[in-house]
Amino acid sequence: MTELRGPVRVVGTGLIGTSIGLALTRLGVVVELIDADPDSALMAERIGAGSRLVQLAPQLVVVAVPPDHVGEVIAEQLRQTDAIVTDAASVKGKPLADAKALTDKAADDLARYVGSHPMAGSERNGPLAGRADLFDGATWAITPHPTSDPEAVELVRRLAEACGARTVELSVADHDLAVARVSHLPQLMSSLAAGTLVDAPSAHLDLSGQGVRDVTRIAASDPGLWTQIVSANSPALSGLLEQIRDELDRLLIALGKEEAADEVTAVLRRGVSGAVRVPGKHGSPHIELVSVLVTIPDRPGQLARLFADAAASGANVEDLRIDHSPGRPVGEVELAVKPASVDQLVRVLTERGWSVHR
Amino acid sequence: MTELRGPVRVVGTGLIGTSIGLALTRLGVVVELIDADPDSALMAERIGAGSRLVQLAPQLVVVAVPPDHVGEVIAEQLRQTDAIVTDAASVKGKPLADAKALTDKAADDLARYVGSHPMAGSERNGPLAGRADLFDGATWAITPHPTSDPEAVELVRRLAEACGARTVELSVADHDLAVARVSHLPQLMSSLAAGTLVDAPSAHLDLSGQGVRDVTRIAASDPGLWTQIVSANSPALSGLLEQIRDELDRLLIALGKEEAADEVTAVLRRGVSGAVRVPGKHGSPHIELVSVLVTIPDRPGQLARLFADAAASGANVEDLRIDHSPGRPVGEVELAVKPASVDQLVRVLTERGWSVHR
């Protein structure tokens, strides 16, 4: 069995690299921290993610630099060390191709590389956003290429498990198509939708509800990082974007005619079929939850009172959403619970004076 | 001053009609309930939204039937009564045009009609979903046409205010462009994004995170209702959809080339500029909120404990979001508070043993 003994060298002490360092240090693994920006490595060291000076040669190198530079740093680390090398980039095809192009003089080297993608993140960046528990229960994709050494694959799996993640093994191509679908395409659709609001009069924006807020939330993400991700995954993304463009073309033709209904219905129905496949809590689309709406006054302590009352009913709140429509003096909280809990929840909340709607 | 005395005739006892009936009945206004489906009117009557038999002629008629039928029912009510007539449809141009076409024999009649759009709703439908407080603090758009009688406009304003809503006056064309932007286009973008997931292998969907959940949430909306809305507002929507299609075309051309970055960055940056314009709580994009992330175990009572501790710090939680990534044994709650409250909130939560991240 391949054991993760360390030292582990982390190259790139941003959110992901620092969080990996914190998780491994917590387990007693020696972590070496390297960053092109000395201040970043220093900060990561100060918060306990590892050390900038480690004498022993690394057993494993984790490359957690910005997407554009991943391939060259992988190649560099394969050249400089005898360690197994992985990376944490959210696209896997391009880093592999880049690393391959740079290591062709010693093709054997590439056997020591296995790509991986810890699927956790935050809207915060930099070492100070790092957290030992960032990957607790998160999905960590491992993407061996045909010449990856099985021992290298095993060591990367150990790394993911040491960080508390659940691993999924996928081919490089499959991974990139999957993230194009469930991450990169939604990002672009959100950005395109939000883009139409740039020139809108304020009076139009005053009519915004929860729907446009949800659809455009991730459009506020960092354009620099996302340009690198989208560009790196353009082969997988292009196919999906073409599919959307063709559907838009059909929709536009239909809307120009007297009878648009069929085409519009087709797009909307397809959307329903896709939406219900997105896993909810616990990764299962099969756990059915029931929603209860509660009107709450916009004052401190009301949410505390509501959740205390919900807990008193014995219900576990599986999901929740607060609706804060512009200008409303009251808010509305949607609590999702298992069907078995709903009657008791509604009874207890109503008894305690809440305005409850199912 | 034009007073709302009643009786008010509500035609269509779905969610919106029944809720208007409940709100007016609460104020002592006599409400007459009519629906093509006798069971629906009966249910609305049973929960106290009004009466199916009212002897007095109505002062005001509210047409709250499905979008496709609004125009003909407006014309019918103008013909059958001397009342002022409004409707509650989410598109205003088509009902007006339809009503106009059907009332040409007595153009004077149309002066008694003023369109309106109460911007509140629910994922629930039918009379039993009706609530007297559905419109409390919500926005209610009023859309006079050039020949609307000022007294009619005033009476519709009284109706909206009686239901607890905040009124906004817009021209018919302006309203339809506004809702195309902040409601109908986001709906279609959500449906199109979700549509690409229909044929995805389950292994791909396992990589779903919060982003795709947010973007595709409203794609689960009722295709029947939305087909009517989208078809009715196709003139306003077509322009926006063409804009998106053109941007997609530019993006696809760029992604096929070596250097895609500039075009991708432009789309993403435009998205950020649009996203920050979407009003948050209290209708103001100017109230800055600070987010605090708290890790919570997935057990009953933990949210209650968290919100009690948050309340003890004196902070008012302005917004919240729960992140329930598939498979995670812990959840993460994001609390948004005013900047002045954040230090005290973090201090109190940390003291009480929560794992808090800013």
Side-chain angles (χ1 to χ4, degrees):
Chain A
M1 293 289 272
T2 311
E3 295 296 338
L4 181 68
R5 298 177 317 269
V8 173
R9 175 182 287 177
V10 172
V11 186
T13 54
L15 169 69
I16 299 293
T18 301
S19 295
I20 292 172
L22 287 167
L24 295 180
T25 301
R26 185 177 58 173
L27 297 174
V29 176
V30 173
V31 175
E32 180 183 7
L33 302 168
I34 296 181
D35 199 290
D37 171 5
D39 285 348
S40 176
L42 178 62
M43 277 193 282
E45 185 182 75
R46 287 231 175 114
I47 64 170
S51 168
R52 287 173 300 158
L53 285 173
V54 171
Q55 299 291 340
L56 284 169
Q59 177 199 19
L60 173 66
V61 177
V62 181
V63 176
V65 302
D68 278 356
H69 303 286
V70 176
E72 68 195 78
V73 178
I74 291 168
E76 193 177 274
Q77 293 294 321
L78 286 172
R79 216 162 37 230
Q80 289 177 7
T81 71
D82 293 322
I84 285 162
V85 175
T86 189
D87 70 310
S90 51
V91 175
K92 308 286 17 134
K94 189 162 184 298
L96 176 62
D98 289 354
K100 202 178 260 174
L102 293 164
T103 51
D104 53 1
K105 65 178 172 44
D108 280 358
D109 278 358
L110 213 60
R112 284 189 282 123
Y113 167 69
V114 180
S116 82
H117 177 199
M119 308 211 46
S122 161
E123 281 139 43
R124 291 152 190 80
N125 292 313
L128 296 182
R131 299 157 37 187
D133 65 357
L134 186 68
F135 310 106
D136 268 5
T139 301
W140 190 309
I142 301 181
T143 58
H145 56 91
T147 61
S148 289
D149 186 330
E151 265 191 52
V153 178
E154 182 61 22
L155 188 64
V156 173
R157 186 186 308 279
R158 295 295 163 127
L159 167 73
E161 288 167 0
C163 291
R166 178 175 72 94
T167 61
V168 175
E169 204 172 303
L170 289 159
S171 74
V172 169
D174 221 23
H175 170 278
D176 285 358
L177 184 55
V179 291
R181 273 190 166 118
V182 301
S183 172
H184 309 168
L185 182 80
Q187 174 65 48
L188 286 174
M189 294 299 276
S190 181
S191 297
L192 287 166
T196 64
L197 303 175
V198 170
D199 312 316
S202 299
H204 290 190
L205 290 160
D206 286 348
L207 302 185
S208 300
Q210 193 59 39
V212 65
R213 274 195 286 274
D214 283 350
V215 171
T216 62
R217 186 182 64 82
I218 56 171
S221 304
D222 175 19
L225 174 66
W226 275 95
T227 296
Q228 295 186 36
I229 294 172
V230 168
S231 306
N233 205 20
S234 64
L237 256 173
S238 293
L240 296 171
L241 287 172
E242 272 165 22
Q243 190 179 319
I244 299 270
R245 195 259 324 266
D246 294 347
E247 242 181 314
L248 263 179
D249 276 335
R250 282 197 297 276
L251 199 56
L252 275 164
I253 290 167
L255 286 177
K257 290 181 190 156
E258 193 67 8
E259 249 333 315
D262 287 353
E263 186 61 37
V264 175
T265 304
V267 168
L268 293 167
R269 286 228 178 103
R270 215 175 133 75
V272 174
S273 307
V276 299
R277 296 197 67 206
V278 178
K281 201 173 185 189
H282 301 138
S284 165
H286 309 301
I287 298 179
E288 221 180 302
L289 296 177
V290 182
S291 284
V292 170
L293 293 169
V294 187
T295 306
I296 61 162
D298 184 11
R299 287 197 304 270
Q302 295 302 306
L303 282 170
R305 197 164 72 79
L306 173 62
F307 286 104
D309 291 347
S313 82
N316 189 22
V317 175
E318 305 283 337
D319 196 2
L320 63 88
R321 201 160 65 83
I322 193 165
D323 188 351
H324 44 99
S325 298
R328 296 193 77 160
V330 293
E332 192 165 78
V333 174
E334 181 174 347
L335 306 175
V337 297
K338 299 216 173 96
S341 309
V342 71
D343 289 339
Q344 177 72 355
L345 175 66
V346 170
R347 198 178 59 72
V348 169
L349 292 183
T350 307
E351 272 172 20
R352 298 187 179 200
W354 293 100
S355 169
V356 182
H357 317 284
R358 295 177 78 157
Chain B
M1 293 288 273
T2 311
E3 295 296 338
L4 181 69
R5 298 178 315 270
V8 173
R9 174 182 289 176
V10 172
V11 186
T13 54
L15 168 71
I16 299 292
T18 301
S19 295
I20 292 172
L22 288 166
L24 295 179
T25 301
R26 186 178 58 172
L27 296 174
V29 176
V30 172
V31 175
E32 180 183 7
L33 301 169
I34 296 180
D35 198 290
D37 172 6
D39 284 348
S40 175
L42 177 62
M43 277 193 281
E45 185 182 73
R46 288 231 174 115
I47 63 169
S51 169
R52 287 173 300 159
L53 284 173
V54 171
Q55 299 292 340
L56 284 169
Q59 178 199 18
L60 173 67
V61 177
V62 181
V63 176
V65 302
D68 277 356
H69 304 286
V70 176
E72 69 196 73
V73 178
I74 292 168
E76 193 177 275
Q77 291 295 321
L78 286 171
R79 217 161 36 231
Q80 289 176 6
T81 72
D82 293 321
I84 285 164
V85 175
T86 190
D87 70 311
S90 51
V91 175
K92 307 285 19 132
K94 190 164 183 299
L96 176 63
D98 289 354
K100 201 178 260 174
L102 293 164
T103 51
D104 54 0
K105 63 176 173 41
D108 280 358
D109 278 357
L110 214 59
R112 287 189 280 123
Y113 167 69
V114 180
S116 82
H117 176 200
M119 308 207 51
S122 161
E123 281 139 42
R124 291 152 190 77
N125 292 315
L128 297 181
R131 298 158 38 189
D133 65 358
L134 186 68
F135 310 106
D136 269 3
T139 300
W140 191 309
I142 300 180
T143 58
H145 57 89
T147 62
S148 289
D149 187 329
E151 265 190 51
V153 178
E154 183 60 22
L155 188 64
V156 174
R157 187 186 308 279
R158 295 294 164 128
L159 167 72
E161 287 166 0
C163 290
R166 178 175 71 95
T167 61
V168 175
E169 204 173 305
L170 289 159
S171 73
V172 169
D174 222 23
H175 170 276
D176 285 357
L177 185 55
V179 290
R181 275 190 165 117
V182 301
S183 172
H184 310 168
L185 182 79
Q187 174 65 46
L188 287 174
M189 294 297 277
S190 180
S191 298
L192 287 167
T196 63
L197 303 175
V198 170
D199 312 317
S202 300
H204 289 190
L205 290 159
D206 286 347
L207 302 186
S208 299
Q210 193 58 40
V212 65
R213 275 196 285 274
D214 283 350
V215 171
T216 62
R217 187 181 64 82
I218 57 173
S221 304
D222 175 19
L225 175 65
W226 274 96
T227 296
Q228 296 185 35
I229 294 172
V230 168
S231 305
N233 205 19
S234 64
L237 255 173
S238 293
L240 295 171
L241 287 172
E242 274 165 22
Q243 190 179 320
I244 300 271
R245 197 259 324 267
D246 293 348
E247 244 181 312
L248 263 180
D249 276 336
R250 281 197 299 276
L251 200 56
L252 276 164
I253 291 168
L255 286 177
K257 291 182 189 157
E258 192 68 5
E259 247 334 314
D262 287 355
E263 187 60 38
V264 175
T265 304
V267 169
L268 294 166
R269 284 228 179 104
R270 215 174 132 75
V272 173
S273 307
V276 299
R277 296 197 67 204
V278 178
K281 199 171 187 191
H282 300 137
S284 164
H286 308 301
I287 298 178
E288 221 181 302
L289 296 177
V290 182
S291 284
V292 171
L293 294 170
V294 186
T295 306
I296 61 161
D298 184 11
R299 289 198 303 271
Q302 294 303 305
L303 283 169
R305 198 163 71 79
L306 173 63
F307 286 104
D309 291 347
S313 83
N316 190 22
V317 175
E318 304 284 336
D319 196 3
L320 62 89
R321 203 161 64 83
I322 193 164
D323 187 351
H324 44 99
S325 297
R328 297 194 74 161
V330 294
E332 191 164 79
V333 174
E334 181 174 347
L335 306 174
V337 297
K338 300 217 173 94
S341 309
V342 72
D343 289 338
Q344 178 71 358
L345 174 66
V346 170
R347 199 178 60 71
V348 169
L349 292 182
T350 307
E351 272 172 19
R352 297 185 179 202
W354 293 99
S355 168
V356 183
H357 317 284
R358 295 176 78 158

